[in-house]
Amino acid sequence: MKFLGYKAVRLFILLVAVAAVSFLMIELSPIDPVKSYAAEMGASVQQMAALRSYWQVDVPTYQKLLDWLFDLLQLNLGVSLIYRIPVVNVILDKFTASAILMITSWAISGVFGFVLGIVAGAKEGSWIDKIIKGYCYLLQSSPAFWIGLIIMMIFSVYLRWFPTGLAVPVGTLASEVTFFDWLYRLILPAFTLSIVGIASIALYTRDRLVNILNSDYFLFARARGESHWSIIKRHGIRNVLLPAITLQFMSFSELFGGAVLVEQIFSYPGIGQATVAAGLRSDVPLLLAIVLISTVFVFVGNTIADVLYKYVDPRMRGEDDE
Amino acid sequence: MDDLLNVSNISISFTQYVQGLNQHVLKVISDLSLSVKEGEVVAILGSSGSGKSLLAHAILGILPENGNCEGDIVFKGEVLSQERKEQLRGKEICLIPQSVNFLDPLMKVGEQAIGDVPKEEREEAFKKQRDVFSKYGLSEEVDDLYPFELSGGMARKVLLSTALLSNPELVVADEPTPGLDSQSVKETIKDIKQMAQDGKGVLLITHEIDVALKTADRIAIFYSGYVIEINKTENFNDVNNLLHPYTKSLIEALPRNGFKLTEGVQPLDDVDGCPYFENCPIRDDFCKNNIPSLIEHDGVMIRCHKYNGEVE
């Protein structure tokens, strides 16, 4: 418990630091929030001046920063300039969509990557190992957006199995979208993210297993008459699983990065698309909120990895808290 | 009495690739012969890192893939093929490994000791494991410990127990004593002797002269990949009863025997003649280009051209 408390304190400090730094960076950037707000309305000079004083654009930077941090503590993140609704609602909406996409592909790539890694490692040097390895190297070195484009070309353009984008059918009210409509549009982006994610976990699992196959305890298990697959099952998986799961949790940051690109390609209305939109259209409140939520997301992933090691691995369990 | 294990003219070498496609054959064990009878402890004594363990691996059929093994390994009158080794290992032939590193770090030792058994036999296997563990004074809590939680002495007992669970006829102990305190070494020696008294044959691989002297009935001296002498342990009490000049200098170098040190190191590369030629005090020109073979004399084996059938 002390460990988790310590982690919570660290998260808090991290968030304050990230909030302050990203705020200062925006402040130093050439974005003028009033202009970007009013640009679409064609406001007069007087109206602009009124807005400037209403938003306190001209108060000193430190004053703005303190106000921002103070609002943040009350979970008041302001109003999105694009969506014209409170940022918190935008984030909730977009992040849920993205989280489903990310968690689905995360789970799929974890399971398949692990299985492929075990098969390749157990059959080290065989043709099946070479195929899996080749496939992983190929994927590892191709950018996610490129894979996404290829998949879209094959399945949406040539085969016409899937729509080319958007989370729901065009012309349907959000309330009428069925679960299946939505699921149908989740498939391609999730598939893309999954096959990209498989490579690193499969290569890692394979490498760990090959190491174990060269270990003393593998040799001894063999000397005791256990068969190859029995050893893989009893000793191999046992020793690979925990580090592999840990790696998978640590990959939350890459997952987030991949999701931004893939959502953009498939026009999937998630946090990634919102990030790009917020950046391009100078929606400062939304952009800052996304920075914060992604910080929390990655931090949670890493913390889960830490906790798993601490409480699941018997070699770490007995040790004192940091 | 028939030999339980008879190893004749074993050579083990490794094929390595050096600098691209140049194959290089590294010979680790040359023309090794020895035998172990039921109820007997035979020690192989050689310097550490000289490849003694590979003999154990060859007997169990767990050499790495680039290792080649020539010669015959005969167990109870039957020449062992790779398939036969795979059937026998863990059952009639068991290995006692050198350290706790040979146990899976993430598996409780009780679970690990019983090995991979079908579900319906597990209960019985655990009972048997408990029996063997308590015979070695390991309490019930030990069953649920992980290898890293074991003390050095406990780990050694666990390793011995794993070998005895299947009630083997031949036990191969590969360096069971390094890094142990003297009390644990004493107990190990006692336990190994007990195994022999129970009728098992024990092949003890070690680099500790004292352990070999206190445990074994016969000792094979391993030098630069060759066995140069196999003698009865009692003959090691008197240097004059030993046959090979290297064995003599080895025993004379012991502190209690005068600490007489000789110069020279074991050759790493294959030599054309006697492996001990460079350091031998009684060599002559014939020894330089002719490898002596291991000949038996009165139950003692010796590999030396200069040996004329008499003890000095």
Side-chain angles (χ1 to χ4, degrees):
Chain A
M1 258 9 260
K2 196 176 149 200
F3 174 71
L4 287 179
Y6 170 80
K7 282 281 171 193
V9 171
R10 271 189 39 172
L11 175 61
F12 181 76
I13 296 172
L14 179 72
L15 280 178
V16 170
V18 168
V21 169
S22 44
F23 182 86
L24 288 175
M25 280 167 71
I26 296 277
E27 183 71 16
L28 291 172
S29 78
I31 294 176
D32 182 343
V34 178
K35 256 191 206 145
S36 57
Y37 176 76
E40 291 165 27
M41 307 179 198
S44 67
V45 179
Q46 286 87 351
Q47 282 169 319
M48 292 281 269
L51 272 174
R52 288 185 87 82
S53 69
Y54 174 70
W55 274 346
Q56 304 187 321
V57 177
D58 299 319
V59 302
T61 305
Y62 74 90
Q63 184 65 45
K64 277 195 261 187
L65 177 60
L66 286 178
D67 287 348
W68 150 247
L69 289 177
F70 189 68
D71 282 348
L72 205 58
L73 282 180
Q74 298 165 312
L75 287 182
N76 176 10
L77 291 164
V79 175
S80 162
L81 300 184
I82 306 176
Y83 299 95
R84 311 277 161 181
I85 49 172
V87 166
V88 176
N89 296 4
V90 181
I91 293 281
L92 276 181
D93 188 34
K94 301 286 173 187
F95 193 74
T96 315
S98 278
I100 291 165
L101 171 67
M102 287 191 278
I103 295 302
T104 315
S105 52
W106 180 80
I108 293 174
S109 66
V111 170
F112 279 94
F114 188 74
V115 171
L116 286 180
I118 291 283
V119 171
K123 291 261 178 195
E124 191 202 354
S126 69
W127 59 268
I128 191 157
D129 176 34
K130 283 176 185 144
I131 290 175
I132 293 175
K133 234 166 52 183
Y135 166 82
C136 290
Y137 285 142
L138 195 70
L139 282 180
Q140 188 81 315
S141 40
S142 341
F145 72 88
W146 184 77
I147 304 261
L149 285 174
I150 299 274
I151 283 175
M152 187 144 79
M153 268 168 65
I154 295 173
F155 292 101
S156 300
V157 180
Y158 297 138
L159 295 173
R160 293 180 184 281
W161 287 357
F162 294 97
T164 47
L166 305 179
V168 291
V170 179
T172 326
L173 285 175
S175 52
E176 287 170 9
V177 177
T178 64
F179 177 70
F180 288 102
D181 281 335
W182 170 81
L183 194 67
Y184 185 52
R185 275 154 178 80
L186 182 69
I187 293 174
L188 277 193
F191 180 62
T192 308
L193 267 186
S194 305
I195 65 169
V196 173
I198 281 176
S200 63
I201 189 80
L203 285 174
Y204 178 78
T205 306
R206 178 189 173 279
D207 190 54
R208 286 295 288 224
L209 190 63
V210 168
N211 270 335
I212 288 171
L213 296 190
N214 291 321
S215 72
D216 287 342
Y217 59 86
F218 176 80
L219 191 74
F220 184 50
R222 240 165 35 112
R224 302 191 61 212
E226 290 187 36
S227 71
H228 189 70
W229 283 106
S230 151
I231 303 176
I232 303 265
K233 208 177 69 194
R234 266 167 65 84
H235 303 295
I237 291 180
R238 179 185 298 262
N239 280 278
V240 178
L241 194 56
L242 191 58
I245 292 178
T246 310
L247 179 80
Q248 194 64 351
F249 275 107
M250 303 279 272
S251 73
F252 268 25
S253 56
E254 286 156 46
L255 191 66
F256 201 88
V260 171
L261 294 167
V262 169
E263 283 177 11
Q264 197 61 23
I265 287 165
F266 291 97
S267 317
Y268 184 90
I271 199 89
Q273 235 199 352
T275 314
V276 177
L280 289 177
R281 293 165 66 186
S282 311
D283 188 345
V284 175
L286 184 58
L287 197 57
L288 286 174
I290 290 172
V291 168
L292 290 178
I293 189 89
S294 55
T295 307
V296 174
F297 184 69
V298 173
F299 188 88
V300 165
N302 289 350
T303 305
I304 293 175
D306 281 358
V307 169
L308 271 179
Y309 250 111
K310 197 142 182 70
Y311 293 99
V312 180
D313 191 326
R315 286 166 296 188
M316 303 277 287
R317 210 158 32 195
E319 283 172 28
D320 289 328
D321 282 349
E322 290 174 59
Chain B
M1 199 170 20
D2 280 345
D3 291 339
L4 182 64
L5 175 79
N6 197 318
V7 177
S8 51
N9 311 104
I10 285 282
S11 295
I12 297 173
S13 57
F14 287 93
T15 314
Q16 294 178 317
Y17 284 95
V18 282
Q19 297 176 341
L21 292 175
N22 294 328
Q23 275 199 4
H24 175 74
V25 176
L26 183 73
K27 212 164 180 190
V28 188
I29 294 182
S30 314
D31 189 29
L32 186 151
S33 300
L34 58 81
S35 61
V36 181
K37 294 182 178 60
E38 279 176 32
E40 184 189 37
V41 180
V42 175
I44 295 192
L45 183 62
S47 52
S48 21
S50 59
K52 306 180 298 292
S53 299
L54 291 170
L55 174 65
H57 296 179
I59 293 171
L60 291 155
I62 50 172
L63 283 176
E65 269 176 33
N66 63 339
N68 322 306
C69 176
E70 292 158 30
D72 285 338
I73 294 170
V74 181
F75 180 68
K76 293 203 288 187
E78 174 195 10
V79 177
L80 295 186
S81 61
Q82 179 63 24
E83 292 76 44
R84 193 70 186 124
K85 287 175 187 170
E86 283 171 19
Q87 287 167 3
L88 289 175
R89 67 190 182 203
K91 298 187 183 73
E92 292 184 36
I93 306 178
C94 278
L95 174 73
I96 301 175
Q98 18 180 315
S99 76
V100 71
N101 289 345
F102 286 75
L103 294 175
D104 183 338
L106 291 182
M107 191 184 268
K108 293 176 177 171
V109 293
E111 169 86 29
Q112 198 154 175
I114 65 166
D116 188 19
V117 290
K119 252 200 182 113
E120 54 276 14
E121 292 168 30
R122 280 174 66 88
E123 206 169 315
E124 201 185 329
F126 271 123
K127 229 187 205 159
K128 209 168 151 200
Q129 169 261 328
R130 193 73 285 248
D131 282 351
V132 178
F133 270 33
S134 40
K135 207 180 103 190
Y136 281 113
L138 294 167
S139 63
E140 265 180 58
E141 293 92 74
V142 177
D143 299 0
D144 287 331
L145 293 183
Y146 289 92
F148 75 97
E149 295 171 306
L150 301 175
S151 69
M154 273 153 91
R156 186 193 52 80
K157 287 173 180 163
V158 168
L159 293 173
L160 287 179
S161 311
T162 60
L164 292 183
L165 270 168
S166 61
N167 199 20
E169 295 182 45
L170 176 69
V171 174
V172 181
D174 184 8
E175 304 262 15
T177 52
L180 289 179
D181 57 280
S182 60
Q183 184 58 34
S184 297
V185 171
K186 245 184 222 163
E187 279 177 32
T188 310
I189 291 172
K190 201 185 93 208
D191 293 338
I192 289 176
K193 281 184 145 172
Q194 185 60 45
M195 287 180 193
Q197 273 166 32
D198 295 341
K200 302 180 198 315
V202 180
L203 180 62
L204 172 70
I205 297 170
T206 185
H207 63 257
E208 292 174 66
I209 298 179
D210 271 339
V211 171
L213 288 176
K214 283 177 188 156
T215 320
D217 299 305
R218 287 187 297 142
I219 297 176
I221 305 292
F222 192 76
Y223 183 88
S224 188
Y226 290 87
V227 165
I228 51 158
E229 175 168 359
I230 305 178
N231 213 329
K232 295 181 191 113
T233 305
E234 62 256 32
N235 287 342
F236 282 79
N237 293 328
D238 183 352
V239 171
N240 294 325
N241 287 336
L242 297 171
L243 310 184
H244 198 282
Y246 173 69
T247 320
K248 291 179 194 216
S249 67
L250 187 69
I251 296 305
E252 281 174 343
L254 290 177
R256 59 170 178 269
N257 294 344
F259 229 146
K260 250 166 64 188
L261 297 181
T262 37
E263 294 280 312
V265 291
Q266 302 188 13
L268 284 172
D269 292 322
D270 236 4
V271 286
D272 295 328
C274 176
Y276 194 53
F277 177 78
E278 288 208 358
N279 306 319
C280 184
I282 54 168
R283 65 186 170 194
D284 62 21
D285 288 345
F286 185 73
C287 301
K288 188 171 185 182
N289 296 311
N290 296 282
I291 300 177
S293 50
L294 195 64
I295 51 166
E296 186 178 343
H297 192 274
D298 222 5
V300 173
M301 308 282 280
I302 168 77
R303 186 192 291 277
C304 180
H305 291 306
K306 303 295 285 181
Y307 179 65
N308 55 11
E310 286 169 30
V311 175
E312 283 171 32

